[in-house]
Amino acid sequence: MKSLSCHVVALLSILAITLSLTNASDPSPLQDFCVAIDTPADGVFVNGKFCKDPKFVTVDDFFKSGLNKAGTPNEKTGSVVTLVNVNQIPGLNTLGISIVRIDYAVNGQNPPHTHPRASEILYVAHGTLLVGFVTSNPENRLFSKVLNEGDVFVFPEGLVHFQANVGKYPAVAFAGLSSQNPGAIVIADTVFGSNPPIQPNVLAKAFQLDTRTVMDLQAKFKK
């Protein structure tokens, strides 16, 4: 009886762990696909989007062209991100994946940012990039590496990370993300460019700066 009781306790423990892991992840789709639409007519609401009636789904709901075309880096950061998520390919809805193309000018960077809903795997197609991510408190440990053409690097979900072009020529990278809509929180834009602005005295204490410097930074990032 004692041995049987031990097995029962162990089985219940395994079931509890399995249920907790299941509840911590996205549920598996219960249909082949859920092509996103923006209107509720004859649709079912799934994970932020309504599903198109399968009878009206076409091959173009799973297709997007144009990632062969270079984007124009902006003047502020020297980079541009071309998104291909559920908003560009409706068929990505519920599939938990997306892709981006990033073009970097010489000395350009994809500044420190996080993806609140996705891990990222980056492939360097052309050029040389310095990349890295920082672990959470209290370690705040930096993992950084210079990547060349053909190299791949992974950024864990939610951690602050960046890429910077350290080569002599423009660079191009492609990244896969583990969400249909990963989101992006650019640290400087979020902290200094919030609307309405964060009180300057709060940021001054947080960043160990004087209030005037903070106000100057907020002016630079104001949209």
Side-chain angles (χ1 to χ4, degrees):
M1 289 294 294
K2 184 176 180 180
S3 176
L4 178 60
S5 298
C6 291
H7 284 300
V8 171
V9 170
L11 178 59
L12 290 174
S13 299
I14 292 170
L15 287 173
I17 293 170
T18 302
L19 286 172
S20 66
L21 290 174
T22 301
N23 291 332
S25 61
D26 290 335
S28 298
L30 298 179
Q31 63 284 323
D32 289 341
F33 47 74
C34 172
V35 173
I37 55 173
D38 294 324
T39 58
D42 299 321
V44 178
F45 193 75
V46 178
N47 200 21
K49 299 287 185 180
F50 290 95
C51 294
K52 181 188 287 189
D53 187 327
K55 296 193 298 292
F56 303 120
V57 169
T58 71
V59 67
D60 287 333
D61 289 320
F62 304 94
F63 171 78
K64 173 72 176 177
S65 64
L67 282 190
N68 61 314
K69 299 176 182 177
T72 303
N74 64 63
E75 294 182 359
K76 185 172 74 171
T77 64
S79 72
V80 61
V81 179
T82 303
L83 299 172
V84 182
N85 58 29
V86 69
N87 296 316
Q88 286 75 43
I89 300 182
L92 283 177
N93 192 40
T94 75
L95 299 186
I97 55 172
S98 57
I99 189 172
V100 300
R101 171 182 173 137
I102 314 168
D103 291 274
Y104 312 82
V106 176
N107 296 321
Q109 64 172 259
N110 192 10
H113 63 283
T114 71
H115 299 296
R117 296 180 290 275
S119 298
E120 175 180 347
I121 183 166
L122 183 89
Y123 167 75
V124 180
H126 299 292
T128 303
L129 297 177
L130 170 67
V131 306
F133 66 85
V134 181
T135 63
S136 54
N137 289 336
E139 291 85 4
N140 294 318
R141 183 180 175 189
L142 173 65
F143 288 83
S144 185
K145 193 172 183 65
V146 174
L147 306 182
N148 296 297
E149 185 172 321
D151 290 344
V152 174
F153 196 82
V154 172
F155 304 105
E157 180 175 342
L159 297 186
V160 175
H161 59 284
F162 64 90
Q163 306 107 36
N165 185 359
V166 293
K168 297 180 179 179
Y169 307 99
V172 180
F174 294 88
L177 298 112
S178 60
S179 171
Q180 67 185 43
N181 190 15
I185 300 172
V186 181
I187 306 305
D189 289 351
T190 301
V191 172
F192 296 108
S194 67
N195 184 23
I198 299 173
Q199 288 290 330
N201 61 311
V202 173
L203 296 180
K205 187 169 185 178
F207 286 90
Q208 297 296 291
L209 299 170
D210 62 84
T211 304
R212 173 50 59 188
T213 300
V214 169
M215 293 175 68
D216 289 343
L217 287 169
Q218 289 180 318
K220 290 178 184 291
F221 286 92
K222 185 177 181 180
K223 295 180 180 178

